[in-house]
Amino acid sequence: MFTNKEEFKQIFQNNVVSKLGKPLNEVSSEDVYTILSRMMREFAGREWASTNQELRQDAEKQVYYLSLEFLIGRLLGNNLLNMGMLEMVKSGLDDLGISLEEIEEQEADAGLGNGGLGRLAACFLDSLASLGYAGHGCGIRYRYGLFEQKIVDGNQVELPDDWLQKGFEWEVRRADRKIEVRFGGYVETREADGELYFSLRDYEAVWAIPYDVPVIGYRGNQPDYHVNTLRLWSAEPVPEMANRNLGGAGNYYSYLNYNRSVESISEFLYPDDSHYEGRLLRLKQQYFLCSAGLQSILRTYDKLNLSYDQLPDKIAIHINDTHPTLVIPELMRILVDEKGYGWDKAWNIVCRTVSYTNHTILSEALEKWPAQMIRDLIPRVYMVIDEINKRFCKVLMEKYPDDPERVAHMAIIFDDQVKMAHLAIAGSYSINGVAALHTDILKEREMRNFYELYPERFNNKTNGITHRRWLMHANPELNDLITESIGSRWKTHPKELVSILKYSEDAAFQSKIAAIKKHNKQRLAQYIEQKYGTPVNTDSIFDVQIKRLHAYKRQLLNILHVMYLYNQIKSMPSLNMVPRTFIFGAKAAPGYYLAKNTIKLINRVASVVNNDPDVKDKLNVFFLENYSVSLAEKIIPAADISEQISTASKEASGTGNMKLMMNGALTIGTMDGANVEMYEMLGDDNMFIFGLNADEVMDYYQHGGYSARDVYNSDPRIKEVVDQLITPGPFASNTYEFASLYQSLIDGNDEYFMLKDFDSYAESHVQIEAAYRNQQVWLKKSIHNIAHSGKFSSDRTIQQYASEIWKIHPVQG
Ligand code: 26W
């Protein structure tokens, strides 16, 4: 292809002319994006093929990461970076008068995920490929990703995310590798030679068509790079099925309707995170992914001509939360019904192949499916689950003969509900939490009974983020400064970021860090000014809370504190304070009223403070609409303060906290999730910790003793802001528009302890202001944050999964 800039320019221009039939000066940015990404995809194709060939030859153990979500975002910039071509292409395009940054903006975000869990999967893919592991993603090619958020009159409105409209240049449709997935029907049982045989009859088959996306590993200084595969499945009708389904009497419209109903399986991503809803279509999605993914994995395995006894030595299947748990009974079904295995041997293989990560302890997020729904949709799989349950309960009854209550609690099927977490634990050899505190809570509380039964299965893998996207690509100036100062080894050994500590008090280094932050703030300010028409003071502290909107994440605490600052300024207009810009980005699940009401409140406070002449030079609030991976890449490098203020014990890990830390923001946070591990490294000097800790919170939940009303009555600052929610005045225009928030705090006794933590939160903000006034001290803290963020690279996380769970090794290239 090309090895230098001039060659690149030549080939690029040839492509423009031959593929578009236009001279370069007539092509749009969108055209350039299409041509460039297609070129790079084809270029990567060679390495992709060569990695695949190596994998076939080496027969190295491979891991498949099954996930209903992959929140990958844009690929062009990151792929160029990983291929080692970013600089060459950028400067070649510059010569042609084209800005790469503008071209990157043309790419639609692949938003095939809700938030933390989906973005984690995408970071893991990047690390797996960059470390040279054979590790592939397996997911669904949703026709519509996470909804696009518009703010209309302060309210969230959801629009479909038509991300494929202009085509997705990185994917390759592989119709030749399609898989049949079977739904419905009934199970026919036959007996022969004393054995039972099961066949599914009258089922409905659909095609699962794979679309493969290359996952390009970072090449560093190596001559070639490793390319794994993210295989995304799309549902298509099997033509004969329509006929059968319609009794041979269908008309044109009924055929079309039938096709549509099949395609609906992969039509859209469910926009709920942290709230489980037992929808049939969602269950179909889960089985569709598990069955197609597994059959395709086994088809590849079959080429090795090995016995299935060796499956666990060659293949690891990891399930991202319980959403793909059906892979467990599906693998049992295939081994028993199709490969002739007896139950015990098959179960042993399954339990040595599957591993599971838990991402939340919120009880409303735990998946429970009505038994009848599973029985109707996938009858044979249900029989298998039923049998797994019976045998599991038998083991439990033998172990705990005097404790039927414990057995009932731990059963997989209870009260006509299938508990997916129990099935996932029973059928896997490893169960991990995503931060030390979260894993402790799983072991000691949420999954205590299971931990007592299988202590050796439980382990922690603290989350991480890819420093390639979140530092090297999102913050190129910081990338350059670090590399100039300590060399480039940190790019492949991110813990070596710690070497910049020696410059933490170096005035020249500090001022460069300050200049980079300032520049990033200017870029974000420009984006905000352009989009919303409001000027942004880049000398103010950029205080950022970006994440899904949920009561436990406490955006409401943040905005109540902003209201308090407003009240303070109004009562004392001469107040000498460092100007603050509070920035929010958050999507609420479409049916989550309290979350939507919080968005409305944030927007109301924004319009009040930004337009009040007494206040607007000191305090600004922006709610940036449609928070997404690409927007995060603009906000994070510009942040001074990172808000990680969840009710302690509720945030399993958090990963935004890590991204912001890596970009030099200081955290104000609770002792929750991975904040705890950040604090271990940073201490009180470099982090602002406040509020109840997890034990205190769980103690209140268990024993009571918290009265929100008492706190409200005893703290006039709190009383004032809470009353402002239901009193027509600066913020509320009537008594009811924010009444739900008021009620959740006062009548609902503030389930997430916002009022309880308000005072220490406000106090931490006072400390932030004092610290910011001394820029040298501030910059030192900021450098400490960057320096210690290497631990939170997903490279470290993936190395731990690889050696401690999957037992895989890098492929020797
Ligand atoms: C069934 C509906 C549903 C959908 C998604 C329930 C729960 C989820 C996810 C488990 C929610 C999620 O994204 N959890 C987040 O996972 C991140 C990656 O481990 C953690 O960093 C976050 O703390 C956790 O909230």
Side-chain angles (χ1 to χ4, degrees):
M1 268 282 262
F2 50 88
T3 48
N4 62 53
K5 182 167 87 169
E6 294 310 318
E7 259 174 46
F8 161 70
K9 281 156 60 178
Q10 196 54 53
I11 294 174
F12 172 70
Q13 283 171 295
N14 290 348
N15 262 291
V16 169
V17 176
S18 68
K19 299 219 163 109
L20 297 174
K22 296 189 214 172
L24 191 57
N25 59 0
E26 281 179 24
V27 299
S28 64
S29 300
E30 204 182 306
D31 288 337
V32 173
Y33 166 72
T34 307
I35 292 294
L36 187 60
S37 43
R38 195 170 299 168
M39 260 174 75
M40 298 324 284
R41 218 281 296 137
E42 283 167 9
F43 193 17
R46 296 177 186 208
E47 300 285 340
W48 199 4
S50 99
T51 302
N52 282 333
Q53 184 161 5
E54 271 167 38
L55 296 184
R56 277 193 296 271
Q57 276 167 3
D58 284 22
E60 189 65 68
K61 184 171 182 183
Q62 311 206 21
V63 59
Y64 293 89
Y65 197 81
L66 262 61
S67 178
L68 269 283
E69 307 191 12
F70 286 93
L71 187 44
I72 51 191
R74 292 175 174 152
L75 291 177
L76 177 61
N78 281 272
N79 283 346
L80 286 170
L81 172 76
N82 284 7
M83 292 163 88
M85 291 186 181
L86 186 62
E87 288 312 315
M88 191 202 306
V89 167
K90 186 175 160 52
S91 131
L93 291 177
D94 264 347
D95 292 354
L96 301 171
I98 298 170
S99 140
L100 177 60
E101 212 174 311
E102 195 187 314
I103 301 308
E104 286 180 56
E105 287 291 320
Q106 306 306 314
E107 183 170 355
D109 262 49
L112 309 184
N114 272 290
L117 161 137
R119 184 53 233 173
L120 185 75
C123 285
F124 279 6
L125 291 184
D126 186 70
S127 287
L128 279 163
S130 297
L131 296 167
Y133 291 110
H136 310 288
C138 182
I140 294 179
R141 180 180 180 269
Y142 298 107
R143 178 64 189 79
Y144 298 96
L146 183 60
F147 64 84
E148 181 186 337
Q149 179 193 56
K150 288 253 179 259
I151 300 298
V152 179
D153 296 334
N155 292 304
Q156 167 175 300
V157 174
E158 303 92 24
L159 301 175
D161 163 45
D162 196 0
W163 71 290
L164 288 168
Q165 197 179 35
K166 297 187 218 156
F168 179 43
E169 294 303 326
W170 301 101
E171 69 183 4
V172 183
R173 181 183 160 96
R174 300 296 309 260
D176 57 318
R177 311 251 169 125
K178 67 186 177 195
I179 297 268
E180 189 181 291
V181 176
R182 298 174 178 182
F183 291 102
Y186 66 94
V187 179
E188 192 180 81
T189 309
R190 271 182 311 120
E191 208 196 307
D193 307 328
E195 299 277 345
L196 289 178
Y197 296 90
F198 304 92
S199 330
L200 193 62
R201 299 284 174 220
D202 277 355
Y203 54 84
E204 192 180 317
V206 307
W207 287 127
I209 311 286
Y211 287 72
D212 287 352
V213 182
V215 181
I216 301 171
Y218 178 67
R219 101 192 238 155
N221 297 322
Q222 284 151 346
D224 50 9
Y225 43 88
H226 183 97
V227 185
N228 286 325
T229 301
L230 167 59
R231 178 159 278 187
L232 299 174
W233 298 95
S234 178
E236 291 188 15
V238 173
E240 303 81 63
M241 279 293 146
N243 223 349
R244 201 216 65 192
N245 207 270
L246 301 167
N251 63 29
Y252 179 57
Y253 297 103
S254 57
Y255 282 115
L256 290 178
N257 270 333
Y258 174 79
N259 287 356
R260 259 221 322 250
S261 79
V262 172
E263 284 156 7
S264 73
I265 296 173
S266 54
E267 191 169 41
F268 68 93
L269 165 78
Y270 274 91
D272 272 284
D273 75 333
S274 69
H275 195 90
Y276 150 80
E277 262 187 283
R279 301 246 193 200
L280 178 62
L281 183 57
R282 168 80 175 181
L283 185 65
K284 277 190 190 169
Q285 291 185 336
Q286 296 188 348
Y287 182 67
F288 175 74
L289 167 68
C290 291
S291 181
L294 186 59
Q295 289 184 61
S296 141
I297 292 166
L298 296 182
R299 190 165 58 190
T300 307
Y301 178 77
D302 284 341
K303 296 199 181 119
L304 295 175
N305 283 318
L306 296 172
S307 140
Y308 279 82
D309 294 8
Q310 279 153 276
L311 192 74
D313 305 325
K314 292 293 172 191
I315 281 173
I317 295 176
H318 197 87
I319 59 177
N320 200 17
D321 216 283
T322 54
H323 317 152
T325 300
L326 290 172
V327 78
I328 290 170
E330 178 69 354
L331 182 52
M332 277 305 282
R333 182 190 69 76
I334 293 175
L335 291 173
V336 172
D337 292 357
E338 296 177 11
K339 310 290 176 190
Y341 272 85
W343 186 275
D344 291 332
K345 241 179 140 184
W347 184 241
N348 179 275
I349 293 171
V350 171
C351 294
R352 288 190 298 126
T353 303
V354 180
S355 48
Y356 151 60
T357 299
N358 171 286
H359 295 267
T360 183
I361 57 160
L362 299 183
S363 54
E364 63 270 31
L366 296 182
E367 290 193 293
K368 299 184 223 61
W369 290 100
Q372 190 61 45
M373 201 189 266
I374 302 185
R375 206 182 287 137
D376 291 344
L377 186 69
I378 36 177
R380 176 60 186 142
V381 177
Y382 184 78
M383 283 174 79
V384 172
I385 297 172
D386 195 47
E387 185 64 24
I388 295 173
N389 179 52
K390 286 196 179 108
R391 291 171 184 246
F392 182 61
C393 288
K394 188 161 166 264
V395 171
L396 294 177
M397 284 183 299
E398 277 161 16
K399 196 162 164 94
Y400 309 111
D402 305 321
D403 199 350
E405 211 174 303
R406 179 192 287 240
V407 177
H409 265 125
M410 296 177 74
I412 295 166
I413 306 176
F414 186 74
D415 207 9
D416 283 325
Q417 304 245 301
V418 179
K419 298 183 178 175
M420 299 311 258
H422 298 193
L423 179 55
I425 296 170
S428 56
Y429 64 92
S430 166
I431 298 124
N432 75 282
V434 291
L437 174 68
H438 170 61
T439 302
D440 285 346
I441 293 174
L442 288 180
K443 292 204 279 199
E444 282 160 32
R445 291 175 184 254
E446 303 306 309
M447 296 182 169
R448 188 185 185 125
N449 287 340
F450 289 94
Y451 177 59
E452 277 173 20
L453 183 64
Y454 303 127
E456 71 293 343
R457 293 191 187 183
F458 283 77
N459 64 92
N460 176 246
K461 296 289 168 280
T462 299
N463 280 167
I465 55 160
T466 167
H467 59 287
R468 287 167 289 275
R469 179 177 291 263
W470 297 108
L471 198 173
M472 294 168 64
H473 189 56
N475 200 342
E477 290 175 74
L478 183 58
N479 170 60
D480 292 346
L481 173 63
I482 295 170
T483 307
E484 276 163 31
S485 313
I486 62 170
S488 51
R489 231 181 92 90
W490 68 276
K491 294 179 181 177
T492 43
H493 299 81
K495 277 203 179 133
E496 294 191 10
L497 277 172
V498 80
S499 308
I500 66 168
L501 270 189
K502 58 177 174 280
Y503 303 111
S504 69
E505 287 174 285
D506 176 316
F509 189 86
Q510 284 190 349
S511 72
K512 286 182 194 158
I513 289 281
I516 292 168
K517 186 60 79 184
K518 178 82 178 176
H519 193 193
N520 289 330
K521 287 165 80 170
Q522 284 163 345
R523 280 201 310 188
L524 180 61
Q526 206 182 359
Y527 171 86
I528 295 174
E529 286 174 29
Q530 241 167 34
K531 202 161 151 68
Y532 302 96
T534 316
V536 182
N537 175 6
T538 56
D539 288 325
S540 66
I541 299 175
F542 279 23
D543 184 311
V544 167
Q545 188 172 18
I546 43 175
K547 50 184 80 256
R548 282 299 286 256
L549 213 136
H550 197 291
Y552 84 80
K553 294 177 188 282
R554 302 201 293 191
Q555 283 94 349
L556 180 56
L557 171 60
N558 186 342
I559 201 68
L560 287 174
H561 175 255
V562 173
M563 288 161 64
Y564 155 66
L565 292 179
Y566 172 88
N567 293 337
Q568 223 187 355
I569 297 168
K570 288 301 272 187
S571 67
M572 215 193 313
S574 61
L575 187 76
N576 174 13
M577 70 177 264
V578 181
R580 291 283 191 101
T581 299
F582 289 90
I583 295 170
F584 293 84
K587 286 180 179 174
Y592 191 173
Y593 183 77
L594 267 180
K596 289 185 146 180
N597 207 213
T598 307
I599 291 180
K600 183 176 183 158
L601 177 64
I602 295 170
N603 281 305
R604 179 64 55 77
V605 173
S607 87
V608 170
V609 305
N610 297 351
N611 292 303
D612 186 325
D614 296 343
V615 178
K616 66 181 189 188
D617 295 334
K618 298 190 170 112
L619 193 59
N620 280 273
V621 177
F622 294 99
F623 185 94
L624 304 187
E625 76 181 359
N626 203 34
Y627 180 59
S628 54
V629 175
S630 54
L631 186 52
E633 288 167 17
K634 294 185 178 73
I635 300 172
I636 289 171
D640 296 305
I641 286 290
S642 160
E643 299 267 354
Q644 307 301 335
I645 59 176
S646 53
T647 309
S649 79
K650 297 283 180 186
E651 189 70 271
S653 161
T655 44
N657 47 359
M658 303 169 184
K659 295 165 196 167
L660 284 150
M661 173 191 188
M662 194 174 268
N663 281 274
L666 273 53
T667 301
I668 176 169
T670 47
M671 281 299 238
D672 199 15
N675 294 354
V676 175
E677 287 154 82
M678 286 163 53
Y679 178 75
E680 274 167 17
M681 286 184 295
L682 295 168
D684 288 313
D685 280 350
N686 300 303
M687 210 172 160
F688 302 92
I689 295 290
F690 73 96
L692 295 174
N693 65 32
D695 283 336
E696 290 166 332
V697 168
M698 291 187 291
D699 214 60
Y700 275 125
Y701 283 138
Q702 237 175 346
H703 303 114
Y706 171 51
S707 161
R709 201 178 288 275
D710 287 353
V711 177
Y712 158 88
N713 282 321
S714 63
D715 187 330
R717 301 166 304 174
I718 294 178
K719 187 161 192 316
E720 185 175 11
V721 293
V722 172
D723 285 344
Q724 280 171 332
L725 295 174
I726 50 158
T727 317
F731 303 113
S733 45
N734 54 48
T735 54
Y736 49 86
E737 62 180 347
F738 301 119
S740 75
L741 300 174
Y742 176 92
Q743 279 158 8
S744 74
L745 293 171
I746 302 301
D747 308 322
N749 200 34
D750 184 18
E751 191 182 342
Y752 297 102
F753 301 96
M754 305 198 213
L755 304 188
K756 177 84 187 164
D757 281 349
F758 185 94
D759 176 61
S760 65
Y761 181 58
E763 174 52 32
S764 282
H765 271 292
V766 171
Q767 287 170 20
I768 287 173
E769 158 145 9
Y772 195 80
R773 284 178 191 276
N774 186 338
Q775 274 296 296
Q776 267 151 25
V777 175
W778 183 272
L779 289 164
K780 182 178 166 193
K781 294 179 197 295
S782 175
I783 295 166
H784 268 263
N785 272 268
I786 301 167
H788 290 295
S789 69
K791 162 173 175 175
F792 298 109
S793 165
S794 45
D795 287 4
R796 183 268 310 153
T797 315
I798 282 299
Q799 269 155 345
Q800 291 176 334
Y801 275 86
S803 68
E804 295 164 24
I805 300 179
W806 302 325
K807 316 282 183 206
I808 56 169
H809 307 283
V811 178
Q812 299 306 320

